[in-house]
Amino acid sequence: DVKVTQSSRYLVKRTGEKVFLECVQDMDHENMFWYRQDPGLGLRLIYFSYDVKMKEKGDIPEGYSVSREKKERFSLILESASTNQTSMYLCASSFLGGREAFFGQGTRLTVV
Amino acid sequence: DQQVKQNSPSLSVQEGRISILNCDYTNSMFDYFLWYKKYPAEGPTFLISISSIKDKNEDGRFTVFLNKSAKHLSLHIVPSQPGDSAVYFCAASASDMRFGAGTRLTVKP
C-alpha cells in the first residue's frame, strides 16, 4: 500500500513564525505536490517537485517555499506565517508520468 | 484563473437514484482526468480516471464520461448509496495536477 505521511494532523502557530510542514512517501515516487484546501476553492497547487532538488511553482506560491533534499521527503515552508495561511494542507505523490496521485491525511494549520 | 471548474457546490439525491457530477476545464493540454473522493479530516482518495483518448470509463457503479470538444467531463454513480456521501473533486493532469472546487454529494436514505 502506498503511504504518504504528513508529520502533523493539527498545528497552531503564531503570526510571523516560520512553519515547516513535512511529507514523506514510501513508494519511490518522483513527483511530490503540496496543495491547500479552502472552502469553495477546492485544492490549489502551491508547489510541486519532479525530482530531488527540483521544484516548480503552482498557482499560489506566494508566501511559501519548498525543499526536496531526498526523494522521499518534500517540505513546505511558510517563511512568515500569516492568518490568511490558515488552511488544510495536503501533500501528494505520484510516479513520473504516472497519473494517479496519492494523498496524505492532511495538516490543519491555524495561524493566530 | 481556475483551469478546472466544478460549478455545483452541492448535490443531493435519493438512495438508489443516479448521481451526476459535472466538471469543465479550460486547458487543452490536459490529457488525463481523475475523480477523487474526500471525507472530512482525510486526504482525497482516488476513485476513477480517464485518458483523453477515451470517452468513457466504467468501474462498477462509477462511470466517467469525457467530451473533449466541450472540455467537459462527468461522473455518474448508479445506484447511489448513503456511503457515497462525500466531497468529490475533479482533477486534470498534464505535467502537474489541477483540481476543481469540489461538489458535496449527499445521498439520502
Side-chain angles (χ1 to χ4, degrees), chain A residues 40-56:
Chain A
L41 297 175
L43 276 67
R44 292 181 293 166
L45 182 63
I46 304 171
Y47 270 98
F48 71 100
S49 168
Y50 53 88
D51 200 354
V52 174
K53 296 193 187 295
M54 305 303 291
K55 61 184 180 184
E56 295 285 343

Side-chain angles (χ1 to χ4, degrees), chain B residues 11-14 16-22 61 63 74-81 84 88 105-107:
Chain B
L11 174 68
S12 181
V13 300
Q14 282 299 128
R17 306 295 288 269
I18 185 171
S19 296
I20 300 176
L21 295 89
N22 293 301
R61 297 186 296 114
T63 303
S74 61
L75 174 68
H76 293 209
I77 307 173
V78 182
S80 301
Q81 298 173 355
D84 295 330
Y88 289 79
L105 174 65
T106 303
V107 181

Side-chain angles (χ1 to χ4, degrees), chain A residues 9-10 31 33 35 37 40-43 45 48 57-59 88 90 99-106, chain B residues 2-3 31-32 34 36 38 41-46 87 89 93-102:
Chain A
R9 290 297 298 267
Y10 300 95
N31 293 334
F33 308 86
Y35 295 88
Q37 182 194 0
L41 297 175
L43 276 67
L45 182 63
F48 71 100
K57 292 180 180 179
D59 294 327
M88 168 71 87
L90 292 159
R99 300 308 193 141
E100 180 188 344
F102 297 86
F103 281 83
Q105 77 279 25
Chain B
Q2 272 200 301
Q3 299 181 48
D31 61 355
Y32 202 81
L34 308 94
Y36 282 80
K38 187 179 185 300
E42 294 182 14
T45 55
F46 170 76
V87 177
F89 289 100
S93 172
S95 56
D96 56 29
M97 190 177 296
R98 296 295 202 272
F99 285 78

